Amino acid sequence: MNFDSRITRAPSAFEPSLGAEAADLICDLRASTREVVVGAAGCSPYLKRLIAQEARWLEQALDGPESAVATLFAELPEITAKALPSGLRQAKRRIALITGLADLGGVWPLEQVTGVLSDFADLAVTTALRATVGAEIARGKLPGMSTDNIHDAAGMSVLAMGKMGAHELNYSSDIDLICLFDETRFAPDDFHDARASFVRATRRMAAMLNDLTGEGYVFRTDLRLRPDPGVTPVCMAMEAAERYYESLGRTWERAAYIKARPCAGDLDAGAGFLKTLTPFVWRKHLDFAAIQDAHDMRLRYREHKGLGGAIKLYEHNMKLGRGGIREIEFFTQTRQIIAGGRDPDLRVRGTIEGLAVLCAKGWIADAAAADLSDHYRAHREVEHRLQMLNDAQTHSLPKSDTGFTRLAAFMGREEAEMRADVMARLEAVHELTEGFFAPEAAPRPAEHSFDERVLTRWQTYPALRSERAVEIFNRLKPDVLTRLSATAKPGEALLAFDGFLAGLPAGVQLFSLFEANPQLIDLLIDIVGTAPALARHLSRNAGVFDAVIAGRFFDDWPGTDKLSADLRAILAAESDYERKLDATRRWAKEWHFGVGVHHLRGLADGAQIAARYAELAEACLRALWPHVAAQFAAKHGEMPGRGAVIVGMGSLGAGRLNATSDLDLIMIYDADGAEMSDGKRPLPVRQYYARLTQAMVTAMTAPMAEGRLYEVDMRLRPSGTQGPVATSWQSFQDYQENQAWLWEHLALTRARVVAGSKALGADVEALRLSVVQRRRNPAMVLDEVAKMRARISAAKQAKFWDGKLGAGRLQDIELLGQAGLLGSGGAAREIEAGLAACVALGWMDAAGSAALLRAHRLFWHMQLATKLLSETVIEDAQMPGVLGQGGLAFLLRETGFSSLADLRAGAAQIAADAAQALNLALPHNEKEA
């Protein structure tokens, strides 16, 4: 489509005669296009000069602006090196002219205008770089390089930063570039020669673009965003730059790299470098401390540029002043920095694009995203017109009434209406962004009656070592004390919060999180006042709070398949094995924390909570196992034969865990006739799978930066601790069919393959069913169960608040339930099914089964609750003080009693009834034991 058919607006000529003079230079202008040209040249001396210089080219370009740009882009790389400086300047004039007119006439939207300017900048840098690197190669100054290496600049990569990187280049923008080279393409002895050559090429490239000649300039080129520009060369090795960012990189540099983009030279090397910086730019935890960093940067800009104070239109800086473009960019980038480490979808370069994805992800409201996007476009249009007037890198509104009159005409608007609109937009942006960045004035100290000695010792805690942590916490403190005062037992709540604060190793990140999300303080106080054990875990793992505000905390439970898929995607993004292990721990802790909070707040019942803990553990095993196997295979070869399976035993197999459960596992492998692995360091199959099993156990249990994942118990394998840690499929079959004790067959009733080879897993399940379904003498089964019950009772001292051990409690009941599963020969693993089978087999009556089910339900809920509330078994003498008011209320809610006395009496009676039912079902000799 031609230019004329798409015109939607036109400027008014401030000096009509000058505008008409320019329009007369172009033949056969249609009326609408003439209006745009007259208005443009009648307001902008710069555009009038461009029209005079490029009138003949413009006549053709107006027939198809996009085609004209495409032709220019195609022809520019064909210009000879000698003619390139002149050719680049002519191309810049033409691009400036067509984009200016297309912008003024509404032919192109803002994104297309900035996109064409950015694409031309990419092309200009690429063309200039190839010319200067080519000259170095021609002179033999780049060791080992030939003309074949010119296309990728012999390993040099140019990163476009700022607006160029985001494809948002403004009309008269300079370009910010970081120039790097891939040192791995050169021998160590050639490094210094290569660097010197790249430095020369960079300087000549910058001069070709930047120098003002009689034909103008191409782009003002700024190379100062590189690491430590005062002492580093203009082109530096990627490895040196990476070391700088890892050790010395600052928050403003992190923000700058959000928009970084390889634009010229070796694009693959540039992309690889940006990937290595991912941990620097995008932190693994939600980074609310970035808000203060960004606010400090805003204040420094204002102070440096003298832009503080109230908004006044005259000479107001549309970029850096209050309510300006930079405010919107900072708001967007800071939000991206906060959450982009956890959500790669937020890692976009453009401001409008960033606002859209932040809105879609729930980080900003729909109205705020829409308003800021609208204001951003409007601000950029004003900025463009200011720059088009004289091709000046200015962002300031006019300082005189005449200047405003000219600007209004250039924008095709009434002056009074334009002034009011610009002021309203500046104020709206300021209001939308200032509250996010600027902390409110320190609130007045809250009135309270807390022990001042407790408050005073907070100053000595590790979390409050830094001045910044103290500053943020002092802003939070009145709100914290107010919320603590509102709890049922303020004194208890204060001491619980004190314990949390004492264990916190650092405070800036967490305090910033609370300041930005004050609703989390209520959640923290709820946790510390109810579950001190969970609060201590929080002190050591405060990053789990990220999950609360990451958008999924209160969603429906996803289940094992979705959980394992989520973790697999996270692990796939990590290349380093130890980082995979830490990522697994971090991910699991967040979900584990979420299950605990849902339990505390009654968002799921005990059965659901137990199943969630088990599904979370299974998801970890499923997702992590392939990575452990691959790491092991890199040294010793792929798994010989059909591979291996991990079998969950006990509570994991039954799909029912508590907050502190370890994992009972068995590893079974099938070498399928193979004798050795085939890796760089092959191993005999038995040694291979034994060491692979140990590697998996280590991956789960090793204390790393993010702590342990789970404790693992492998004593339920054939022959227990005397047998190999990994059991061959043939040995497992033979053992279960010919050698296993009855208690091992009881354990098999709840065994379940949780990870590994599907084919081998199906065989293991088939064997399990065949063993469980074997005909047995009921009297023998019950006699063995009675003996086992007696041995357990004699070996382990039961405590009242341990729901597992003791007559009529979980382990006692589960023994008979497993016997029922074994006796009935069914596929079920649930104890409830086993107790029903006991009735069907005539081992007990319905009343006895009901007593056992009631006890199992009570003590399972007690176990779930106490394991969340305390890291150790609660001593009865410490009750109820050890739990506090909140913990006791939670325990009573979960067990269905109204007071501690009722719970004590009820638990004792229910256990006695269950024990009596067991005594009636089992042989008499057990009752005498």
Side-chain angles (χ1 to χ4, degrees):
M1 295 175 65
N2 64 27
F3 187 94
D4 192 81
S5 63
R6 289 181 281 169
I7 292 173
T8 61
R9 63 192 182 195
S12 302
F14 181 72
E15 298 179 271
S17 62
L18 296 179
E21 184 180 310
D24 289 342
L25 297 173
I26 307 169
C27 298
D28 301 324
L29 279 180
R30 296 178 184 178
S32 296
T33 303
R34 182 179 177 85
E35 183 182 2
V36 172
V37 171
V38 169
C43 291
S44 165
Y46 173 63
L47 288 177
K48 181 179 183 299
R49 187 167 67 252
L50 290 183
I51 292 170
Q53 290 174 296
E54 301 293 342
R56 183 171 298 180
W57 178 84
L58 183 59
E59 288 175 7
Q60 297 177 339
L62 292 173
D63 290 334
E66 289 83 4
S67 297
V69 170
T71 300
L72 185 152
F73 281 10
E75 293 174 348
L76 188 60
E78 304 302 320
I79 298 175
T80 65
K82 184 176 181 180
L84 189 57
S86 177
L88 283 168
R89 282 156 177 76
Q90 181 188 64
K92 172 60 184 295
R93 291 195 300 270
R94 292 175 174 179
I95 290 296
L97 179 56
I98 196 63
T99 55
L101 294 177
D103 189 356
L104 291 167
V107 174
W108 289 349
L110 174 68
E111 286 81 357
Q112 189 171 357
V113 172
T114 59
V116 170
L117 291 169
S118 301
D119 288 341
F120 175 68
D122 286 0
L123 181 61
V125 174
T126 297
T127 307
L129 180 65
R130 286 177 178 172
T132 59
V133 169
E136 290 294 309
I137 291 173
R139 295 170 57 215
K141 296 298 184 180
L142 265 174
M145 298 296 162
S146 68
T147 54
D148 291 339
N149 302 113
I150 293 176
H151 74 284
D152 69 351
M156 179 175 160
S157 181
V158 180
L159 303 181
M161 308 297 287
K163 286 186 167 63
M164 181 179 172
H167 258 92
E168 296 175 340
L169 211 56
N170 62 40
Y171 191 76
S172 188
S173 180
D174 57 4
I175 55 175
D176 295 300
L177 306 176
I178 293 179
C179 298
L180 307 166
F181 71 95
D182 181 0
E183 71 283 350
T184 64
R185 292 182 63 167
F186 300 91
D189 289 345
D190 293 332
F191 173 83
H192 293 290
D193 287 341
R195 184 176 66 180
S197 183
F198 282 128
V199 167
R200 287 192 297 271
T202 300
R203 287 176 174 157
R204 288 168 181 163
M205 173 197 74
M208 190 181 299
L209 299 173
N210 188 76
D211 287 355
L212 181 62
T213 71
E215 296 180 276
Y217 68 100
V218 188
F219 286 103
R220 288 176 290 269
T221 304
D222 192 336
L223 304 175
R224 292 174 298 173
L225 285 185
R226 68 185 185 276
D228 205 356
V231 296
T232 56
V234 291
C235 183
M236 58 191 300
M238 290 181 176
E239 187 269 340
E242 184 181 346
R243 277 190 285 109
Y244 167 85
Y245 291 120
E246 285 179 349
S247 59
L248 299 172
R250 292 160 289 181
T251 299
W252 74 263
E253 289 170 309
R254 292 175 58 202
Y257 268 95
I258 291 177
K259 295 186 176 185
R261 174 177 59 84
C263 70
D266 190 338
L267 300 182
D268 290 339
F273 174 76
L274 291 181
K275 187 174 181 180
T276 66
L277 291 193
T278 298
F280 164 66
V281 180
W282 307 107
R283 301 293 166 81
K284 60 189 177 183
H285 292 304
L286 294 177
D287 188 10
F288 282 91
I291 297 175
Q292 183 67 45
D293 291 334
H295 179 56
D296 292 343
M297 280 191 282
R298 294 164 73 238
L299 295 181
R300 285 196 296 273
Y301 270 120
R302 289 178 184 175
E303 183 178 355
H304 177 65
K305 301 289 185 178
L307 300 173
I311 298 173
K312 297 178 181 178
L313 285 185
Y314 290 101
E315 296 187 275
H316 187 80
N317 191 304
M318 292 296 297
K319 177 181 179 180
L320 301 178
R322 288 178 180 266
I325 294 167
R326 183 58 56 86
E327 303 280 68
I328 303 173
E329 292 173 339
F330 268 21
F331 176 88
T332 307
Q333 290 173 338
T334 305
R335 283 290 191 187
Q336 289 176 279
I337 284 178
I338 288 170
R342 294 175 53 90
D343 187 352
D345 290 345
L346 297 177
R347 302 173 192 178
V348 297
R349 295 185 177 98
T351 303
I352 298 294
E353 188 183 5
L355 288 167
V357 71
L358 287 167
C359 176
K361 295 287 184 170
W363 286 100
I364 57 176
D366 292 356
D371 289 347
L372 287 174
S373 297
D374 181 54
H375 296 322
Y376 181 79
R377 289 190 175 98
H379 281 7
R380 291 297 303 272
E381 288 198 357
V382 173
E383 177 189 49
H384 279 190
R385 275 117 189 99
L386 291 169
Q387 294 176 349
M388 285 180 198
L389 288 171
N390 289 297
D391 187 31
Q393 177 62 354
T394 182
H395 310 279
S396 296
L397 291 171
K399 60 183 179 181
S400 67
D401 290 339
T402 302
F404 268 102
T405 303
R406 181 187 290 269
L407 178 61
F410 205 17
M411 298 187 69
R413 302 172 69 176
E414 293 293 329
E415 183 180 347
E417 180 270 334
M418 183 204 71
R419 285 179 181 246
D421 181 62
V422 172
M423 176 61 84
R425 289 182 181 278
L426 291 168
E427 290 175 340
V429 170
H430 179 71
E431 184 175 342
L432 280 166
T433 59
E434 190 72 11
F436 171 67
F437 285 114
E440 296 179 359
R444 295 174 59 188
E447 293 184 7
H448 62 82
S449 56
F450 292 126
D451 187 341
E452 286 293 343
R453 291 172 299 178
V454 175
L455 306 188
T456 300
R457 70 185 181 220
W458 288 355
Q459 301 168 20
T460 66
Y461 290 166
L464 291 162
R465 281 179 299 210
S466 72
E467 290 183 11
R468 185 170 177 187
V470 171
E471 178 186 344
I472 301 170
F473 186 73
N474 284 341
R475 293 198 297 266
L476 287 172
K477 187 174 175 182
D479 190 25
V480 170
L481 295 178
T482 299
R483 292 169 192 259
L484 287 170
S485 298
T487 60
K489 295 282 186 177
E492 285 186 9
L494 175 69
L495 293 177
F497 180 80
D498 176 67
F500 166 80
L501 198 60
L504 198 63
V508 170
Q509 285 287 349
L510 187 64
F511 299 157
S512 298
L513 176 71
F514 287 154
E515 188 170 43
N517 303 272
Q519 74 277 10
L520 292 183
I521 301 174
D522 280 336
L523 176 60
L524 173 64
I525 290 171
D526 190 12
I527 292 169
V528 300
T530 306
L534 190 57
R536 284 190 290 275
H537 172 80
L538 276 178
S539 291
R540 300 188 296 270
N541 303 279
V544 298
F545 271 117
D546 293 359
V548 181
I549 54 176
R552 67 184 184 190
F553 192 76
F554 294 107
D555 291 351
D556 292 338
W557 181 253
T560 310
D561 291 342
K562 289 184 178 179
L563 284 170
S564 58
D566 183 33
L567 180 54
R568 280 198 301 272
I570 291 170
L571 297 183
E574 297 287 357
S575 57
D576 179 76
Y577 181 64
E578 289 196 5
R579 287 175 61 179
K580 290 177 190 285
L581 300 186
D582 264 334
T584 304
R585 285 155 168 74
R586 188 164 57 249
W587 177 88
K589 283 178 179 179
E590 289 184 3
W591 280 104
H592 197 277
F593 171 68
V595 175
V597 172
H598 281 217
H599 193 192
L600 280 178
R601 294 203 157 183
L603 301 177
D605 62 30
Q608 292 172 318
I609 293 298
R612 291 177 185 183
Y613 280 130
E615 289 176 0
L616 178 59
E618 183 175 348
C620 289
L621 289 164
R622 274 197 209 175
L624 189 55
W625 166 244
H627 294 276
V628 176
Q631 177 75 4
F632 193 79
K635 185 180 295 183
H636 301 294
E638 297 294 331
M639 284 184 273
R642 292 201 297 159
V645 293
I646 301 173
V647 181
M649 306 294 287
S651 296
L652 175 61
R656 181 179 289 184
L657 297 179
N658 63 54
T660 63
S661 292
D662 57 10
L663 306 184
D664 293 307
L665 303 177
I666 293 177
M667 184 77 76
I668 302 172
Y669 68 90
D670 184 8
D672 197 24
E675 296 182 357
M676 298 282 292
S677 66
D678 60 359
K680 291 182 290 186
R681 295 169 59 183
L683 294 171
V685 291
R686 182 170 179 176
Q687 186 180 0
Y688 180 100
Y689 281 106
R691 290 177 60 179
L692 176 57
T693 302
Q694 291 166 344
M696 184 63 185
V697 172
T698 300
M700 301 287 287
T701 62
M704 303 187 66
E706 298 286 345
R708 288 183 171 86
L709 188 55
Y710 287 97
E711 294 294 345
V712 172
D713 189 339
M714 302 198 73
R715 290 175 296 175
L716 289 181
R717 66 185 185 270
S719 302
T721 56
Q722 304 304 311
V725 291
T727 305
S728 75
W729 168 230
Q730 292 76 16
S731 297
F732 187 75
Q733 290 180 88
D734 177 68
Y735 185 86
Q736 293 297 339
E737 291 172 349
N738 303 307
Q739 303 174 53
W741 297 83
L742 180 73
W743 73 264
E744 292 175 294
H745 285 174
L746 289 173
L748 210 58
T749 62
R750 297 199 288 176
R752 182 167 57 89
V753 174
V754 294
S757 164
K758 289 185 178 180
L760 180 56
D763 289 347
V764 171
E765 176 60 10
L767 174 65
R768 184 189 82 87
L769 290 176
S770 71
V771 171
V772 170
Q773 291 168 355
R774 183 184 303 171
R775 294 181 63 84
R776 293 175 176 83
N777 182 337
M780 182 271 291
V781 172
L782 292 175
D783 186 62
E784 285 296 319
V785 169
K787 291 176 182 178
M788 289 172 59
R789 184 181 182 220
R791 286 195 297 271
I792 292 171
S793 177
K796 297 185 178 181
Q797 182 66 40
K799 296 183 178 181
F800 186 85
W801 295 106
D802 183 358
K804 180 179 180 180
L805 299 177
R809 297 192 175 217
L810 291 177
Q811 192 170 61
D812 216 15
I813 298 166
E814 288 173 358
L815 275 175
L816 186 60
Q818 290 172 54
L821 292 171
L822 202 62
S824 66
R829 296 177 173 86
E830 297 79 16
I831 293 303
E832 294 82 355
L835 295 177
C838 290
V839 176
L841 291 166
W843 295 355
M844 65 191 310
D845 58 21
S849 175
L852 293 180
L853 284 172
R854 184 167 57 251
H856 192 267
R857 189 178 306 112
L858 169 64
F859 290 114
W860 183 251
H861 280 78
M862 179 189 290
Q863 191 78 342
L864 272 175
T866 55
K867 290 296 185 181
L868 184 62
L869 296 174
S870 175
E871 294 164 333
T872 58
V873 176
I874 297 170
E875 298 289 343
D876 192 42
Q878 297 177 310
M879 288 287 284
V882 68
L883 293 186
Q885 188 73 16
L888 178 60
F890 169 65
L891 177 61
L892 294 175
R893 186 194 77 201
E894 289 300 299
T895 54
F897 288 90
S898 58
S899 69
L900 180 60
D902 288 347
L903 173 55
R904 274 202 179 101
Q909 185 60 55
I910 289 170
D913 292 345
Q916 178 64 22
L918 287 164
N919 291 338
L920 292 173
L922 294 172
H924 192 72
N925 65 304
E926 195 279 329
K927 289 187 289 183
E928 297 173 351

